[in-house]
């Protein structure tokens, strides 16, 4: 074995060690996020008391009567209490967050974020050493794609936190799915580092696949916020109708941002990344022209990428149309993300084509009993 080969093998082993280490730290972050939610659930009485105090203070500051002149006669009117912003719309403030206003809950939330940052740095190191071991971009197979995707997804979350966006509620579902993604990667999809086929040796590999991974990470954030919007909207509807949600639903959903906030957030992130997804498809077509002599051949991956584009375009159009805002548009957003998921996992593993890893995926699945 040459010195270069030995060095590459050592880097590959180091990459595996870092990925497993990142999973261990993500697990600690997972428990810290759960603890944040648990402590937040204990402060419901305090939050209710604070809300009542704020309501009484606002009432005390409000004028007792309003004087209206009608034909020279002073008429006393009772002040109107505005409970809805407009017909059919709720004026509901955002919840306090996963910590629920509890000091210990907030402390565990900060610990969870710190552990998430540490795990992100370790996983990034694992992706980087994997790339150095093969001296190419670290997304030549499904295993590499998975570890890179999970790294970028956590990076998007941390960037939103750094921008002081109210997204810490995303931490628990994000880390849960990241652990599942990495678990599938290291047990089912793991592939030894190797060189790419000649057709993939192109600078378009860096452009096309990197943008696809980034788009998928942002689409994931939009999908989680859309799903939580549906739950929160149902919760608010039940309260508005005089119903009483269950204790668990109340404890969790009352701490999330308002349904309107979640709806706006999911729409904005999906709308922001949609042009980049469009560029991803165009870049892929250009790369296909260089590699295979044709720009479009209705390969399964190309077809489902286009279907995903159409689904998100339909969602954005529906969201901008007055009759399709809210829950109807949210269902379209989840369908669109389902198309992206199938394009990511289904086409790559189960469908044979120029873009797929079907042979690797099926053999790996058979090895674990599928």
């Amino acid at each position: 074995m040459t010195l270069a080969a030995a060095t590459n093998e050592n880097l590959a082993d180091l990459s595996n060690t870092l990925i497993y280490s990142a999973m261990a730290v993500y697990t600690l972050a997972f428990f810290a996020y759960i603890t944040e939610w648990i402590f937040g659930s204990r402060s419901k009485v305090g939050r209710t008391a604070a809300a009542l105090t704020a309501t009484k203070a606002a009432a005390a500051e409000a004028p007792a009567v309003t004087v209206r002149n009608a034909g020279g006669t002073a008429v006393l009117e009772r002040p109107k209490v505005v409970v809805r912003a407009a017909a059919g719309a709720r004026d509901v403030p955002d919840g306090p967050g996963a910590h629920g206003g509890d000091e210990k809950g907030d402390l565990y939330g900060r610990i969870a974020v710190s552990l998430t940052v540490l795990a992100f740095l370790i996983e990034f190191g694992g992706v980087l050493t994997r790339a150095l071991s093969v001296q190419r971009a670290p997304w030549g197979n499904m295993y590499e794609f998975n570890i890179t995707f999970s790294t970028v997804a956590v990076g998007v979350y941390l960037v939103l936190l750094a921008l002081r966006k109210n997204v810490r509620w995303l931490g628990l579902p994000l880390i849960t799915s990241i652990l599942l993604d990495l678990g599938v990667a290291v047990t089912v999809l793991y592939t030894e580092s190797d060189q790419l086929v000649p057709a993939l040796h192109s600078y378009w590999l860096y452009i096309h696949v990197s943008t696809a991974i980034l788009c998928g990470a942002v689409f994931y954030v939009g999908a989680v916020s859309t799903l939580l919007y549906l739950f929160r909207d149902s919760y608010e509807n039940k309260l508005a109708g005089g119903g009483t949600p269950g204790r668990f639903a109340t404890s969790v959903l009352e701490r999330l941002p308002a349904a309107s906030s979640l709806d706006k957030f999911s729409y904005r992130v999906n709308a922001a990344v949609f042009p980049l997804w469009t560029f991803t498809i165009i870049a892929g077509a250009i790369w296909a022209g260089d590699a295979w002599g044709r720009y479009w051949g209705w390969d399964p991956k190309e077809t489902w990428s286009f279907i995903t584009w159409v689904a998100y375009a339909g969602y954005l159009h529906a969201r901008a149309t007055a009759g399709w805002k809210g829950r109807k548009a949210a269902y379209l957003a989840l369908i669109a993300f389902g198309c992206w998921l199938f394009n990511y996992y289904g086409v790559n593993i189960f469908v044979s084509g120029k873009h797929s890893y079907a042979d690797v995926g099926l053999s790996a699945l058979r090895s674990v009993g599928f």
Side-chain angles (χ1 to χ4, degrees), residues 136-137 139-141 144 194-202 205 287:
R136 59 167 172 77
W139 42 73
N141 51 60
E144 295 174 356
D194 200 359
Q195 295 301 317
L196 298 174
V197 297
L200 298 182
H201 284 286
S202 171
L205 174 68
W287 186 15

Side-chain angles (χ1 to χ4, degrees), residues 129-149:
T129 50
R130 176 77 176 197
L132 293 175
S133 70
V134 289
Q135 300 179 358
R136 59 167 172 77
W139 42 73
N141 51 60
M142 277 295 290
Y143 169 74
E144 295 174 356
F145 196 96
N146 268 40
I147 62 174
T148 305
F149 170 77

